[in-house]
Structure formats: C-alpha cells, structure tokens
C-alpha cells in the first residue's frame, strides 16, 4: 500500500517522466513514483519519495546509514560512493550515492542510487521533525544521464503551503 508523507510538499517532474502507482510497480511504502520514459536494458530509472516523522534524537546521517544497511541486505554488492551533509540546523540535508548489484526485473543488474534526505521542521510545532527522502534509482550505465533530471526535480521540492479547502 502506498504511504503518505508526514508533511505536504510540492514539486515538478522533469519533462517526459511519468507517474506510476507505487503498488503497481512493487514499491509499497513510498508515497510517490515517477518513471523515466526510456528504460536502459529493460530497467526504467525511477524517482521515489517517502518520509516519516523522526524523533529529535535521530539524525539524517543515521537514516542514511540505515538505508545503506537495508540495501546491503538486499543486494549482492554495495558501495557508498559519496555521502555529504548539507543545509543548516533548521533545514538539514544529506545526499549519498550508492552502487550495488541486485536482481531487478528478473535480471542481475548493476544499479546506482542517489538519495537526498531533507529535514523538515513542522511550522506549527517546531518540536515535530520529519524527513523526506528523494531517491533516484537507475542502471549504473544510465545514472549520469538521468542525474541532471533528478537534480532539477530536487531543486523544485518545497513545502506545500497552499491553503487547504
């Protein structure tokens, strides 16, 4: 079952990317999925969004390390190529790039994943914190080709402050 996000956000997809139902493509637990229009060797690059509330004692670095460990358990090989903290204490961020080998779509593939974690403080209750994770997964060969689209997408992500009717 597709999950919701702890805080509302808005964003724009890069041209050509199309939305997909998370449940239909085997991505339960994420709130949003978009697929690249040109698969590489039968694998469609995808952007996913998920997130949750997080206790004040948790850090984005801990979340990234946990994500790495989950992925390590589901893959044959895994390497963390980069990991970088960004932002400020009020609006922290973290990005990491991972490469791994796993069975996907019935074939053994070398995949790459860029994850961006955004820390969000609730505007009405600053004691409440959440994180949003934006993830690009593609074949390793296609990653640099779709990375610009992902970076463009990330730059459009913002809190959705439109009044609810």
């Amino acid at each position: 079952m597709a999950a919701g996000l702890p805080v509302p956000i808005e964003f724009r997809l890069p041209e050509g990317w199309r939305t997909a139902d998370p449940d239909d493509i085997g991505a339960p637990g994420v709130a949003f999925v978009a697929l690249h229009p040109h698969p590489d060797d039968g694998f469609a690059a995808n952007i996913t969004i998920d997130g949750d509330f997080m206790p004040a004692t948790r850090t984005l670095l801990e979340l990234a390390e946990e994500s790495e460990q989950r992925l390590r358990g589901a893959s044959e090989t895994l390497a963390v190529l980069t990991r970088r903290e960004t932002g400020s204490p009020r609006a922290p961020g973290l990005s990491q790039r991972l490469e791994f080998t796993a069975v996907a779509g019935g074939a053994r593939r070398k995949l790459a994943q860029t994850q961006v974690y955004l820390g969000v403080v609730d505007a009405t209750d600053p004691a409440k914190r959440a994180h949003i994770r934006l993830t690009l997964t593609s074949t390793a060969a296609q990653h640099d080709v779709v990375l610009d689209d992902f970076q463009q997408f990330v730059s459009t992500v913002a809190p959705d402050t439109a009044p609810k009717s």
Side-chain angles (χ1 to χ4, degrees):
M1 173 179 215
L5 291 175
V7 293
I9 62 171
E10 60 185 19
F11 53 85
R12 282 189 324 271
L13 281 177
E15 188 173 323
W17 289 73
R18 62 180 173 79
T19 62
D21 184 305
D23 293 328
D24 290 347
I25 64 161
V30 301
F32 178 84
V33 175
L35 301 174
H36 190 265
H38 306 291
D40 178 44
D41 193 27
F43 185 86
N46 60 80
I47 294 172
T48 61
I49 304 173
D50 66 298
D52 204 351
F53 287 103
M54 57 190 267
T57 58
R58 301 292 308 273
T59 67
L60 296 179
L61 178 58
E62 290 171 325
L63 294 173
E65 289 170 342
E66 288 172 7
S67 179
E68 172 197 344
Q69 290 306 312
R70 278 191 307 276
L71 197 53
R72 189 174 301 282
S75 61
E76 297 171 7
T77 64
L78 182 128
V80 178
L81 302 182
T82 61
R83 182 177 284 151
R84 186 182 63 171
E85 292 185 83
T86 60
S88 66
R90 180 101 175 116
L94 182 143
S95 64
Q96 66 180 3
R97 181 170 174 173
L98 312 162
E99 284 194 355
F100 55 100
T101 304
V103 175
R108 184 175 183 268
R109 301 177 190 278
K110 185 170 183 180
L111 300 174
Q113 193 171 85
T114 295
Q115 301 173 343
V116 174
Y117 290 83
L118 305 173
V120 182
V121 175
D122 188 305
T124 59
D125 182 358
K128 283 184 166 177
R129 295 182 333 134
H131 77 276
I132 302 293
R133 180 175 58 175
L134 314 167
T135 304
L136 169 67
T137 307
S138 67
T139 63
Q142 190 181 33
H143 199 76
D144 288 341
V145 173
V146 295
L147 186 58
D148 284 344
D149 280 357
F150 181 65
Q151 291 169 332
Q152 173 190 344
F153 163 76
V154 170
S155 74
T156 70
V157 174
D160 183 354
T161 56
K164 306 299 178 235
S165 49

